[in-house]
Amino acid sequence: MESDISKGPVIGQRHVQTLLLFGFAAINYMTRYSASISLVAMTNSSTTNPNFPQYNWNESEKSYILSSFFWGYLFTQLFAGYYCKRFGEKVTLFTAIFGSSLVGLILPITLKFGDWQIFCAVRVVQGVFQGLDLSGAYALLANWCPVEERNRLGALAFSGNECGTLMAMLLSGLIAISALGWPGISYIFCGIGLIWCLLWIIFGASSPNTSKFISLEEKTYIQISKKETVEGSKKSIPIPWKAILLSPAFWALIVARCSEAWSFTAVQAALPEYMNGVFCMDMKNNTLYSALPYILLWVMSYVYLILADLLINYKILSLNALRKTFNSIAFWIPAICLIGIGFLKPHQQIIAGILMIVIVGINAGNMIGSGLNVIDLSPNHTDILMSILNAAGSIMPMLNPLVMAAVVHDDSDDRQWQILFIICALIYFVGNIIYLIWGSTDAQPWNDPNFLLPKCRDDIECSSDEQQSGRKDIT
């Protein structure tokens, strides 16, 4: 009882921030992935509401529209961490959602003054705003999550990704055939984004120190858990670039996250084409069937969360062992299934469908595996680390289509798909091996705010002036 009281209310402000982050992630993914369904409605009005304009865009122009989001998204990674340190996590997350939603709301209007290029421009601007998302979200989690609850709250927050993807797939088609037509997809999803902004202004806070609603008990609990005894600002901490870029643990994390980004986005793009070309199963026109893997992905994110809590609370696994075990499951089981699905014959449709669902669903463990590891390495520099990680990961969706086009020339040729799936499986396997060897959950020495200060001998106390004059500001 005393332990519960010392943590503050049963539903505290750290839980409120987690819920808001869940909504943040869901809205981002809804606006990001609903564009593919909007395009179907905009270019084939006979399948939706014919009372709205139809555009005769070819496949090349459609691909430009879908990929244009990542042009802007990658650009923002160059300064997302700095923006977060300069303006704080609350402003960063507000900017990401408000800017993206506002631009999305005016899309149906702007299309009256141009063609597919206007759609591309809107998507680029949305990508620019949403490029701030992960740096701000991870930094906020680093500020709010007690160490003991990091897996639970982090996994809950980012399960919004799967929720947003599902909502985009399940609701976009229904909106498109309604009286609102395809413009309604932008109006509803972006309108929800603006409502979130209002809630964020009222309840959101960059840290426990800046929250207007947090209790003293909860604030003390978070600070003690994170070994914070003095209030301070991360804005004033210099960035140890050299130490970060020479850190084996951070490079292992980069490789793991790039492996995940490559293989998972390749699966998203390749499996529908493969199922259609080899097994004659049209997933794109079967919304429920397309959503099944992502339903399991969302469900499995909570299964992993509960299992992680049990393993940590009962001290069955250390945090380091937990992360590497979950990451191995999330990488290697899909890798094995990818190799297996490539050798199936056209009459084995049911087995192919099951393997496809398993590949996507089991991968949910990557968030607790390596996804949250960046906070372990450096709570003080999480925003900067996420800028680097997200920039590297954002390149993968751009390279995937090029590799897929180079390997698969005939989507009915299962041998070509075998090569592509084996490549993805190898990337999963090698990426996890590197993470197992060099990955770490220990806070790195360069996370220390005084890391760049001159070291003092035990018998001599450095004065404040000496420390300040000796600071190496390499930012």
Side-chain angles (χ1 to χ4, degrees):
M1 184 181 301
E2 291 177 0
S3 176
D4 290 340
I5 293 174
S6 68
K7 296 180 181 181
V10 175
I11 304 297
Q13 282 304 302
R14 65 188 184 279
H15 304 110
V16 173
Q17 305 306 311
T18 300
L19 181 60
L20 287 169
L21 271 183
F22 175 92
F24 173 86
I27 292 165
N28 268 352
Y29 272 67
M30 282 193 295
T31 55
R32 185 180 307 182
Y33 290 114
S34 61
S36 59
I37 300 174
S38 296
L39 270 178
V40 174
M42 296 167 73
T43 56
N44 188 5
S45 60
S46 62
T47 61
T48 55
N49 189 331
N51 296 325
F52 292 89
Q54 177 176 309
Y55 300 90
N56 298 317
W57 295 328
N58 58 42
E59 293 301 319
S60 177
E61 291 165 345
K62 291 179 188 178
S63 67
Y64 288 141
I65 292 171
L66 293 176
S67 63
S68 59
F69 175 90
F70 294 98
W71 306 345
Y73 191 75
L74 178 60
F75 171 76
T76 318
Q77 304 311 310
L78 301 175
F79 59 86
Y82 277 116
Y83 187 93
C84 189
K85 277 193 178 294
R86 174 66 180 83
F87 296 102
E89 292 78 9
K90 182 170 182 175
V91 173
T92 300
L93 297 185
F94 177 84
T95 303
I97 289 287
F98 184 77
S100 174
S101 298
L102 197 62
V103 172
L105 277 176
I106 64 174
L107 171 63
I109 300 173
T110 57
L111 282 175
K112 296 178 181 179
F113 304 99
D115 203 16
W116 63 272
Q117 295 91 340
I118 294 291
F119 203 161
C120 278
V122 170
R123 294 284 290 168
V124 168
V125 176
Q126 282 188 310
V128 168
F129 281 111
Q130 289 197 24
L132 300 171
D133 60 356
L134 290 186
S135 290
Y138 273 85
L140 190 84
L141 283 173
N143 293 343
W144 275 97
C145 288
V147 175
E148 299 83 0
E149 300 179 18
R150 187 173 291 164
N151 287 331
R152 183 188 314 149
L153 298 183
L156 279 172
F158 288 114
S159 65
N161 295 346
E162 289 77 42
C163 177
T165 303
L166 274 175
M167 292 303 101
M169 297 176 71
L170 297 177
L171 297 183
S172 296
L174 296 176
I175 297 170
I177 63 176
S178 71
L180 295 173
W182 61 258
I185 298 174
S186 293
Y187 294 147
I188 290 178
F189 288 163
C190 294
I192 293 173
L194 295 180
I195 294 172
W196 180 92
C197 288
L198 179 61
L199 294 174
W200 182 245
I201 290 173
I202 298 171
F203 298 106
S206 294
S207 69
N209 293 331
T210 59
S211 174
K212 297 177 290 185
F213 303 104
I214 192 170
S215 67
L216 178 61
E217 292 83 359
E218 184 181 11
K219 181 177 177 181
T220 303
Y221 163 61
I222 294 172
Q223 289 177 332
I224 291 175
S225 173
K226 296 169 59 183
K227 299 180 181 179
E228 292 179 351
T229 56
V230 182
E231 292 189 6
S233 173
K234 292 193 292 186
K235 298 178 186 178
S236 61
I237 301 176
I239 305 168
W241 282 111
K242 182 178 179 180
I244 290 174
L245 296 178
L246 293 178
S247 170
F250 184 51
W251 276 106
L253 182 58
I254 290 176
V255 171
R257 298 315 296 166
C258 284
S259 300
E260 162 65 17
W262 173 279
S263 296
F264 190 73
T265 54
V267 166
Q268 283 182 309
L271 280 180
E273 299 294 335
Y274 171 69
M275 299 296 285
N276 185 51
V278 176
F279 298 100
C280 299
M281 298 171 66
D282 191 356
M283 292 176 59
K284 290 184 176 179
N285 292 327
N286 189 332
T287 303
L288 181 59
Y289 192 79
S290 300
L292 278 176
Y294 300 97
I295 293 173
L296 181 62
L297 182 68
W298 191 16
V299 171
M300 285 300 298
S301 67
Y302 297 115
V303 172
Y304 281 116
L305 185 157
I306 295 169
L307 185 58
D309 261 5
L310 292 174
L311 293 172
I312 289 294
N313 291 338
Y314 286 98
K315 303 186 185 305
I316 298 173
L317 290 177
S318 66
L319 181 60
N320 189 59
L322 177 78
R323 294 230 186 279
K324 293 182 177 181
T325 299
F326 276 29
N327 208 66
S328 298
I329 294 171
F331 277 34
W332 284 352
I333 291 180
I336 294 170
C337 292
L338 277 170
I339 294 174
I341 200 172
F343 287 92
L344 295 177
K345 301 304 178 183
H347 66 276
Q348 297 175 301
Q349 293 180 345
I350 296 177
I351 298 176
I354 293 172
L355 287 178
M356 178 192 67
I357 293 171
V358 170
I359 288 169
V360 176
I362 294 297
N363 186 252
N366 84 87
M367 179 54 64
I368 292 178
S370 57
L372 296 173
N373 185 221
V374 65
I375 304 177
D376 303 327
L377 297 181
S378 180
N380 286 326
H381 300 296
T382 297
D383 41 15
I384 295 297
L385 301 187
M386 278 310 303
S387 276
I388 300 172
L389 280 172
N390 211 22
S394 297
I395 297 173
M396 301 300 111
M398 298 181 181
L399 297 179
N400 271 326
L402 301 178
V403 175
M404 183 173 168
V407 174
V408 180
H409 306 288
D410 179 5
D411 63 7
S412 64
D413 188 342
D414 58 345
R415 290 172 298 179
Q416 295 178 10
W417 288 109
Q418 287 172 11
I419 296 173
L420 181 67
F421 291 148
I422 288 172
I423 291 172
C424 293
L426 285 174
I427 291 174
Y428 260 146
F429 184 81
V430 174
N432 190 59
I433 283 287
I434 291 174
Y435 183 66
L436 289 177
I437 297 173
W438 287 286
S440 174
T441 55
D442 296 333
Q444 299 301 290
W446 36 268
N447 177 63
D448 187 346
N450 298 319
F451 179 76
L452 293 176
L453 295 180
K455 301 298 186 293
C456 301
R457 285 164 39 197
D458 292 340
D459 57 339
I460 300 177
E461 182 178 354
C462 291
S463 69
S464 176
D465 291 341
E466 286 174 333
Q467 289 183 335
Q468 292 301 322
S469 63
R471 182 183 293 274
K472 301 177 182 177
D473 186 4
I474 63 173
T475 62

